[in-house]
Amino acid sequence: MKNILIIGSGVVGLAIAYELSKKRGLNVFVVEKNKSIGLENTSKSSEIIHAGVYYKTNFLKRKLAIEGKKLIYKFCKKYKIRHAKVGKLFIAKNKIEEKYLHLLKKQSLKNGLKDCKLINYKKLKKIEPNVIGYKALMSPSSGIFDVKSFISKLYKISKKNSVKYKFKSKNLKIIKKDKYFIVNNFKNISFDYIINSAGINAIKIAKKNFPNEKFPKDRYVRGIYLKTKQNLKINKIIYQSQKPNTVTPRVDIVPMLEGGYLFGPNVQKSKKVNKNLFFNVLRKNLRFIDKGKLKYFKQGIRTKITVNNKIKNEDFFIKKLKKYNWINLFGIESPGLTSSLSISKYVYRNFIRNEK
Ligand SMILES: Cc1cc2nc3c(=O)[nH]c(=O)nc-3n(C[C@H](O)[C@H](O)[C@H](O)COP(=O)(O)OP(=O)(O)OC[C@H]3O[C@@H](n4cnc5c(N)ncnc54)[C@H](O)[C@@H]3O)c2cc1C
């Protein structure tokens, strides 16, 4: 039997616990600093199942998003988790932006997606009459899902399969031996693997335990959401068109499963919520929207990282240390939810299966 310790019970730690719990010969433990699962970034998202349209083709996140999307839909169907494959529209407002739609379509084909379609003005007006636009690109395999039910299913199944969870468990003291680890919270047990999926704290934890290793640097930014209960008569996820591989300031519009709409996330450093900024973007994109009905909803932290001092690194960073069975998951920002079930398979296939 191999003993494995997972740090963090966000969607990533839970998906890994779920995946490993299905394998023979593994004894899985999860430590979580909060009193319950998924209280950090996992519950501060747009709940979108991303299709994989605009990520760079050679990025791990492109591969894992496309594989993960299929696995999430399958999982949701099997366990009756609420979800809806509503589709996503990238909106161009003029001829210049129309060029971006063609680039996006090209990128989607390069990424292996064959289902994205260009939509003309007449059709756009028919399917989304409240959206101001000239042309659009439709990604039919994008959707939304009930993240809370999803993670609680992962938790329940993994627990049934004997994974042990320890909540309110922080300040781990880990002693490294050549081939195993000893952890202060666990008596009479040593761990063959440690999986560090602690979200925004993952780099800090790695540094504390391996002060002489070189790790990526954190460069977090916030993503703030507003919401409305106003009936905007929008059915699809609405994104403004963007150059592939760039992130521009914008306000995404996402229909919520429980009714109403989510706006955001934006990108900003401070915690301060500025409704006017949101409204000014939204009114350029929608024919009608009531400013008075906009409410602050939530905010998450985008776990952006810098690898080797290169400013632009937007890929997931999932690596095992050379000398130790310690696996780090850094930079798991969007599409981390979409990719959770494929990230967990990736971790098993690449770092654990062959070593068993
Ligand atoms: C604003 C925003 C919107 C997003 N929207 C989407 C979307 O629509 N679709 C999508 O696919 N992805 C989306 N994402 C990405 C997705 O939310 C994340 O990739 C995902 O939630 C990351 O999960 P995680 O488990 O790595 O991190 P977290 O959910 O943050 O979990 C980490 C866990 O580790 C625990 N922890 C931390 N330190 C310690 C410690 N010392 N000891 C014990 N436990 C510890 C924390 O308490 C936490 O529970 C979004 C992200 C953001 C920020």
Side-chain angles (χ1 to χ4, degrees):
M1 258 330 217
K2 297 271 184 201
N3 295 326
I4 302 190
L5 181 67
I6 299 171
I7 309 175
S9 71
V11 70
V12 173
L14 288 164
I16 296 172
Y18 160 79
E19 180 66 22
L20 300 186
S21 78
K22 295 188 287 181
K23 315 291 178 198
R24 280 162 183 261
L26 302 177
N27 211 359
V28 184
F29 296 79
V30 180
V31 283
E32 166 57 55
K33 71 174 168 58
N34 293 330
K35 64 176 193 308
S36 178
I37 57 167
L39 295 178
E40 304 288 333
N41 269 333
T42 294
S43 53
K44 319 254 166 80
S45 80
S46 312
E47 311 208 318
I48 295 175
I49 301 172
H50 289 289
V53 174
Y54 42 81
Y55 310 117
K56 279 188 187 162
T57 310
N58 63 350
F59 270 20
L60 183 58
K61 70 165 60 162
R62 191 274 311 168
K63 184 174 169 286
L64 295 181
I66 292 175
E67 186 189 339
K69 169 183 69 177
K70 292 180 193 145
L71 294 169
I72 293 265
Y73 279 126
K74 210 168 142 196
F75 188 98
C76 288
K77 264 192 205 136
K78 182 168 177 188
Y79 294 107
K80 299 193 169 49
I81 310 278
R82 276 197 309 165
H83 67 288
K85 210 186 246 187
V86 290
K88 188 191 281 181
L89 283 173
F90 296 92
I91 309 290
K93 285 221 266 324
N94 51 46
K95 286 209 161 179
I96 296 171
E97 290 183 1
E98 188 189 354
K99 280 190 199 151
Y100 301 156
L101 298 184
H102 290 286
L103 289 175
L104 275 170
K105 166 122 199 225
K106 220 166 133 190
Q107 184 70 31
S108 74
L109 285 169
K110 233 171 124 191
N111 286 358
L113 302 174
K114 294 190 184 119
D115 57 355
C116 292
K117 282 192 184 66
L118 290 158
I119 308 263
N120 63 24
Y121 177 74
K122 217 170 134 191
K123 190 148 184 220
L124 174 61
K125 205 155 177 220
K126 200 168 161 213
I127 52 179
E128 291 294 2
N130 187 13
V131 173
I132 299 170
Y134 168 64
K135 287 192 180 163
L137 182 75
M138 158 83 132
S139 156
S141 67
S142 310
I144 45 178
F145 73 129
D146 176 354
V147 171
K148 203 169 170 197
S149 304
F150 172 64
I151 58 168
S152 87
K153 199 77 200 170
L154 292 175
Y155 174 61
K156 279 187 196 141
I157 299 174
S158 59
K159 254 183 91 164
K160 209 168 142 209
N161 292 348
S162 300
V163 174
K164 296 185 189 59
Y165 286 83
K166 266 196 183 192
F167 293 103
K168 293 186 184 168
S169 175
K170 43 186 164 186
N171 302 327
L172 290 184
K173 292 206 173 57
I174 300 169
I175 300 168
K176 307 181 294 258
K177 301 284 178 187
D178 261 2
K179 291 268 173 221
Y180 61 95
F181 304 91
I182 296 171
V183 180
N184 60 333
N185 289 2
F186 295 85
K187 283 187 189 124
N188 309 324
I189 185 166
S190 62
F191 291 97
D192 302 283
Y193 293 88
I194 291 194
I195 300 176
N196 175 14
S197 51
I200 62 162
N201 286 343
I203 294 180
K204 232 187 292 164
I205 292 171
K207 265 192 191 156
K208 188 175 143 200
N209 286 286
F210 299 93
N212 298 326
E213 289 273 343
K214 231 177 127 194
F215 292 117
K217 291 192 183 111
D218 292 316
R219 55 177 186 96
Y220 303 151
V221 283
R222 275 169 201 283
I224 293 186
Y225 290 98
L226 300 191
K227 68 174 176 178
T228 185
K229 284 197 172 150
Q230 184 186 2
N231 184 0
L232 295 173
K233 299 202 161 69
I234 293 171
N235 301 304
K236 307 204 175 304
I237 302 160
I238 306 294
Y239 274 34
Q240 294 308 304
S241 69
Q242 52 180 339
K243 248 187 192 169
N245 310 324
T246 56
V247 181
T248 42
R250 52 168 217 265
V251 178
D252 306 331
I253 304 166
V254 188
M256 293 195 282
L257 284 165
E258 60 270 33
Y261 297 89
L262 188 76
F263 304 116
N266 68 351
V267 179
Q268 66 178 59
K269 288 261 181 212
S270 82
K271 282 188 181 174
K272 212 173 146 213
V273 181
N274 186 336
K275 265 193 211 171
N276 284 331
L277 282 182
F278 277 79
F279 181 67
N280 287 338
V281 177
L282 286 169
R283 72 174 178 187
K284 286 186 196 137
N285 299 327
L286 298 177
R287 288 181 217 282
F288 63 88
I289 175 149
D290 184 342
K291 187 178 177 187
K293 292 200 168 127
L294 290 179
K295 298 251 172 335
Y296 169 67
F297 187 22
K298 57 183 178 182
Q299 52 182 280
I301 296 174
R302 300 164 181 263
T303 48
K304 294 194 174 299
I305 55 170
T306 303
V307 181
N308 295 332
N309 292 327
K310 281 188 199 137
I311 294 292
K312 268 213 157 177
N313 181 290
E314 265 127 37
D315 204 4
F316 295 157
F317 183 103
I318 307 176
K319 293 203 165 130
K320 187 180 102 49
L321 294 182
K322 273 204 182 102
K323 285 198 191 141
Y324 293 93
N325 282 334
W326 174 291
I327 299 146
N328 286 313
L329 292 104
F330 299 150
I332 313 293
E333 53 167 333
S334 191
L337 281 164
T338 309
S339 315
S340 51
L341 295 177
S342 50
I343 290 175
S344 58
K345 285 187 184 295
Y346 181 87
V347 167
Y348 176 69
R349 281 195 302 252
N350 287 284
F351 310 119
I352 296 177
R353 183 173 56 190
N354 300 334
E355 300 264 329
K356 265 205 311 179

